[in-house]
């Protein structure tokens, strides 16, 4: 415990003996000037100012954290909105700082006034302490303001540069290959951004270099294209000029009548007409066709190359006619009397050997040949001269040649149709994959996509991407290679026979695809995609294209086989047609197989489906506890012949209407082919045959719809049984050899041992 003296005072005078009057206020008899209420007001103002400065510091810190943690958006509008909102907050905080600064300066001026009011330079320690406090808070506020201004200026500059970069990127990606001028402007803008010390300097320089490279590549390509187009235009002008000349020549040859050549004057007049035509011949025809082909080799297309043989053929025809007319004009002969064809054993006229029968006698064939070459433009030039008689040999030769040309024309026309429809088919597949399938992953259209379609892309489109890849990268190129050698089209199908199996998987998925389509066909998503693609038909029509294309192949192959003139390649066409028909049958069989229900096990373990169809079946069990006679009334069963088993199913129809009614097959019985035997003929009906199982323990009498179907099924069953027998024989032979070898290994040492003894 501290012991302190306590003095009891009774008056102010006694107080002055202990405390100096300079330390006491006037009410205690002192001279100290002090107002407690003024001190409270001042102290409250200083403390309030300090709290406000602290709050400003917290606001600046939180706003700085917000700026630092703000994620930059990917859209220019969002960045502009962010810039505006940040600028507004910055201006508001600046206004708050200025208000607090004014408050602090006002306090400081009051303290300075109070200090100046002290007489004779006396200084109050409290006033000095308060003045220092306010001065320190003001300095702290100024430092915070400067730091905040610097931080926001950097952040604002970064946002502005990011917005500039985004707009520059958008301009970069929006530049089309033909917009060279705009590309140069974007490159210039990039250089301006780079010289402005942009934070993404490396990226901007990279974009400028890429754009400059694209411009250079495009400029080179445009120049090359311009040069090629100029050459093509030159070639087309020459060909057009040559075509007009050939048309005139064809017209002239077709209208030169044979009866006028009987006189020398008529032959000379016809010769003069041809010579005038020759004088008007274009310069390009004066050169050899090989020279023309060599000059324009780089730009010649198969369509343009076809014109060269036509020009050569016309020149040969004119040359032959001219040579024959010259002979007639130089030889004095009596008028030729056109008579009926003479017998083959009659002697020839001495003058007939000097006249070219190709140019004079079969004049109608000239006209037909010209029409074949120039259809449809010159088909109106056919005007056969009545009264002309031809020898049997000439007529036969002309007719044979005309038939051959007609067959070749039809054959090539079918090849062109096959290639053109193949190109269209590939383009349609690509449009579906890009316009529908890829759009299912487009976030812009995700709100239009039905929930039932999400993650069902593989079900709706099946393996269409695999089909497109096969046709676009392989089969279309194979067919285009047949433009020059159309007889090789059959080999194309045979070479890619295994690749066509992709259609089997597509067709097996088709029922699931159709079911999914029916559930969401009215979706706005499909309507929007169809509108973008400008398709007149809906997606379901395009999903049917692969099935239709598979059917189209066998029809075109049948037409090619019908009009094939090259007997050496008929076997290839026949093989191609059979492979397509087998594929269609396999697809049809597999479509039925996937509708089998109730089978416990994997259908794939039974091997490939070889045959399927509906039959009437009688069953009888002749042995064992289940012995029974055959039913009088047959059962209707759908049979599936696999490589290793025969399935008996019952066809049923699902409930529904229209397209919703789809058949399925309820599994009833299975016969392993390793235990099956057949009796090909049953008395009383040529359409029946007998299947017996496990040594005739079970007998199935099967009635086919037609005799031909019965024969087809028996053929396939015999093949299976024969193959099984061969396998068993091979296994027995291998087992015998193995047993013999083992006995030999054991027996030889014994013999050797006995021999030694």
């Amino acid at each position: 415990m501290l012991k302190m003296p306590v003095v009891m005072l009774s008056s102010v005078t006694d107080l002055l003996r202990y405390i100096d009057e300079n330390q006491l206020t006037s009410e205690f008899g002192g001279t100290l000037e002090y107002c407690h209420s003024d001190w409270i007001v001042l102290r409250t103002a200083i403390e309030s100012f300090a709290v406000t400065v602290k709050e400003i510091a917290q606001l600046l810190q939180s706003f700085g954290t917000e700026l630092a943690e703000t994620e930059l958006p990917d859209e220019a509008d969002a960045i502009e909105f962010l810039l505006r909102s940040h600028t507004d907050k910055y201006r508001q905080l600046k206004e708050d700082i200025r208000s607090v600064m004014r408050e602090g300066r006002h306090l400081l001026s009051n303290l300075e006034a109070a200090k100046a009011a002290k007489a004779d330079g006396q200084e109050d320690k409290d006033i000095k302490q308060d003045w220092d406090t306010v001065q320190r808070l003001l300095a702290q506020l100024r430092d915070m303001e400067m730091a905040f201004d610097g931080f926001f200026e950097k952040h604002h500059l970064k946002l502005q540069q990011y917005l500039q970069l985004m707009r520059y990127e958008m301009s970069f990606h929006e530049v089309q290959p033909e917009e060279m001028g705009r590309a140069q402007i974007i490159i210039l803008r990039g250089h301006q951004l780079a010289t402005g010390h942009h934070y993404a300097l490396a990226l901007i320089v990279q974009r400028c270099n890429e754009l400059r490279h694209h411009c250079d590549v495009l400029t080179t390509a445009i120049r090359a294209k311009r040069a090629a187009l100029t050459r093509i235009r030159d070639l087309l002008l020459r060909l057009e000029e040559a075509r007009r000349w050939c048309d005139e020549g064809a017209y002239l040859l077709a209208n030169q009548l044979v009866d006028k050549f009987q006189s020398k004057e008529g032959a000379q007049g016809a010769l003069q007409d041809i010579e005038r035509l020759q004088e008007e011949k274009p310069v390009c025809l004066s050169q050899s066709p090989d020279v023309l082909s060599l000059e324009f080799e780089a730009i010649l297309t198969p369509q343009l190359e076809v014109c060269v043989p036509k020009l050569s053929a016309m020149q040969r025809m004119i040359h032959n006619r001219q040579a024959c007319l010259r002979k007639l004009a130089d030889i004095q002969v009596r008028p030729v009397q056109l008579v009926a064809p003479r017998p083959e054993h009659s002697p020839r006229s001495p003058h007939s050997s000097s006249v070219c029968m190709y140019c004079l006698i079969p004049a109608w064939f000239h006209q037909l040949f010209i029409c074949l070459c120039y259809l449809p433009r010159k088909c109106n030039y056919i005007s056969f001269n009545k009264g002309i008689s031809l020898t049997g040999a000439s007529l036969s030769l002309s007719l044979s040649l005309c038939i051959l040309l007609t067959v070749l024309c039809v054959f090539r026309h079918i090849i062109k149709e096959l290639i053109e429809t193949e190109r269209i088919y590939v383009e349609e597949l690509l449009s579906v994959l890009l316009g529908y399938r890829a759009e299912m992953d487009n976030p812009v259209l995700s709100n239009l996509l039905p929930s039932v379609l999400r993650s069902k892309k593989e079900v709706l489109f099946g393996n269409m991407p695999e089909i497109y890849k096969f046709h676009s990268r392989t089969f279309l190129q194979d067919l285009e290679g047949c433009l020059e050698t159309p007889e090789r089209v059959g080999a194309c199908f045979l070479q890619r026979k295994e690749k066509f199996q992709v259609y089997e998987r597509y067709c097996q998925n088709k029922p699931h695809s159709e079911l999914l389509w029916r559930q969401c066909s009215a979706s706005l998503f499909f309507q929007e995609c169809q509108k973008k693609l400008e398709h007149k038909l809906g997606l379901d029509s395009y999903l049917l294209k692969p099935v239709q294309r598979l059917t189209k192949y066998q029809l075109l192959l049948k037409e090619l086989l019908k009009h094939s003139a090259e007997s050496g390649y008929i076997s290839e066409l026949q093989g191609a047609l059979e492979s397509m028909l087998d594929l269609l049958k396999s697809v049809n069989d597999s479509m039925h197989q996937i509708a089998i229900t109730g089978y416990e096990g994997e259908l794939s373990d039974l091997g490939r489906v070889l045959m399927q169809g509906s039959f009437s079946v009688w069953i009888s069990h002749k042995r064992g506890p289940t012995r029974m006679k055959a039913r009088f009334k047959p059962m209707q069963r759908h049979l599936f012949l696999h490589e290793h088993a025969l399935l008996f199913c019952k066809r049923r129809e699902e409930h529904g209407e229209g397209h919703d009614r789809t058949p399925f097959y309820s599994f009833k019985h299975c016969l392993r082919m390793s235990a099956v035997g057949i009796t090909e003929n049953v008395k009383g009906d040529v359409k029946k045959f007998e299947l017996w199982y496990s040594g005739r323990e079970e007998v199935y009498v099967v009635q086919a719809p037609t005799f031909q179907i019965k024969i087809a099924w028996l053929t396939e069953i015999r093949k299976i049984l024969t193959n099984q027998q061969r396998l068993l024989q091979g296994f027995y032979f291998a087992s015998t050899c193995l047993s013999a070898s083992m006995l030999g290994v054991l027996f030889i040492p014994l013999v050797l041992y006995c021999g030694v003894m």
Side-chain angles (χ1 to χ4, degrees), residues 200-250:
L201 178 62
L203 179 60
I204 293 173
V205 172
Q206 178 186 350
R207 293 301 191 194
C208 290
N209 292 336
E210 288 181 12
L211 201 54
R212 188 179 294 107
H213 173 70
H214 290 323
C215 289
D216 294 340
V217 171
L218 185 59
T219 301
T220 304
I222 289 175
R223 289 173 180 170
K225 190 67 175 180
R226 181 183 180 85
L229 289 175
T230 302
R231 290 177 60 80
I232 291 174
R233 184 188 63 178
D234 185 21
L235 175 61
L236 290 176
L237 290 175
R238 295 190 189 185
L239 290 177
E240 179 63 22
E241 186 179 6
R243 184 195 61 78
R244 285 197 297 267
W245 182 82
C246 288
D247 290 346
E248 294 175 359

Side-chain angles (χ1 to χ4, degrees), residues 463 466 470 474-475 491-505 550 579-580 582-583 586 608:
N463 63 331
E466 189 178 3
F470 164 59
T474 305
F475 195 60
C492 292
F493 281 89
L494 292 176
Q495 184 180 2
R496 309 298 178 185
K497 179 180 178 180
E498 299 300 326
K499 296 289 186 180
F500 276 98
Q501 297 301 322
V502 295
Y503 281 91
E504 189 168 338
R505 295 195 297 276
L550 205 57
S579 68
M580 286 295 104
D582 290 342
L583 179 60
S586 177
R608 190 165 56 91

Side-chain angles (χ1 to χ4, degrees), residues 251-450:
Y251 182 81
L252 177 63
L253 294 180
N255 285 274
Q256 284 185 338
L257 302 180
V258 179
D259 52 1
K260 290 186 178 181
F261 302 158
Q262 297 178 3
S263 64
K264 180 177 181 180
E265 292 76 10
Q268 289 177 344
L271 184 60
Q272 291 174 359
D273 293 338
I274 293 178
E275 289 176 350
R276 281 195 296 269
L277 179 68
Q278 288 284 67
E279 292 174 358
E280 299 172 357
K281 181 168 64 174
V283 179
C284 63
L285 292 181
S286 302
Q287 302 173 342
S288 170
D290 296 335
V291 175
L292 187 65
S293 301
L294 184 62
E295 182 181 355
F296 295 97
E297 180 180 6
I299 59 174
L300 274 178
T301 62
Q303 291 80 6
L304 294 177
E305 290 177 350
V306 173
C307 301
V308 178
K310 291 183 179 180
L311 300 179
S312 302
M314 178 54 64
Q315 286 182 295
R316 284 196 302 270
M317 291 173 63
I318 292 176
H319 177 74
N320 292 337
R321 177 69 64 86
Q322 198 173 18
C324 293
L325 289 174
R326 283 183 182 140
K327 292 179 182 179
L328 290 175
D330 293 340
I331 299 175
Q332 293 291 336
V333 296
R334 59 185 178 83
V336 177
Q337 180 66 35
L338 297 177
V339 296
R342 62 184 61 166
E344 293 184 0
H345 59 273
S346 351
R348 293 193 176 190
S349 170
H351 301 292
S352 61
S353 60
S354 62
V355 180
C356 178
M357 298 300 294
Y358 174 76
C359 292
L360 291 181
I361 296 179
W364 65 273
F365 174 69
H366 287 180
Q367 302 167 12
L368 180 58
F369 181 79
I370 291 166
C371 290
L372 287 174
C373 294
Y374 292 94
L375 283 176
R377 182 181 292 109
K378 293 301 175 184
C379 61
N380 57 340
Y381 291 162
I382 300 177
S383 58
F384 297 104
N385 301 317
K386 297 181 179 179
I388 297 179
S389 299
L390 301 176
T391 64
S394 176
L395 180 60
S396 176
L397 177 63
S398 301
L399 287 175
S400 300
L401 186 55
C402 286
I403 293 171
L404 178 61
L405 289 173
T406 305
V407 169
L408 290 176
C409 289
V410 174
F411 191 85
R412 287 184 175 272
H413 174 73
I414 299 172
I415 293 293
K416 289 181 180 179
E417 180 185 358
L418 174 62
I419 296 173
E420 287 300 320
T421 53
E422 183 72 13
R423 289 170 180 161
I424 295 172
Y425 174 57
V426 170
E427 292 173 359
E428 289 176 339
L429 290 181
L430 181 60
S431 68
V432 170
L433 293 176
L434 295 181
Y436 286 99
R437 192 176 187 275
E439 289 297 312
M440 292 177 70
D441 298 328
N442 188 353
V444 179
L445 300 177
S446 60
N447 58 329
L448 301 179
L449 191 66

Side-chain angles (χ1 to χ4, degrees), residues 7 144 236 249 308 415 476 570 612 652 665 691:
V7 180
M144 287 191 299
L236 290 176
V308 178
I415 293 293
L476 177 58
I570 289 180
Q612 57 84 25
R652 302 182 187 274
Y665 302 95
L691 295 170

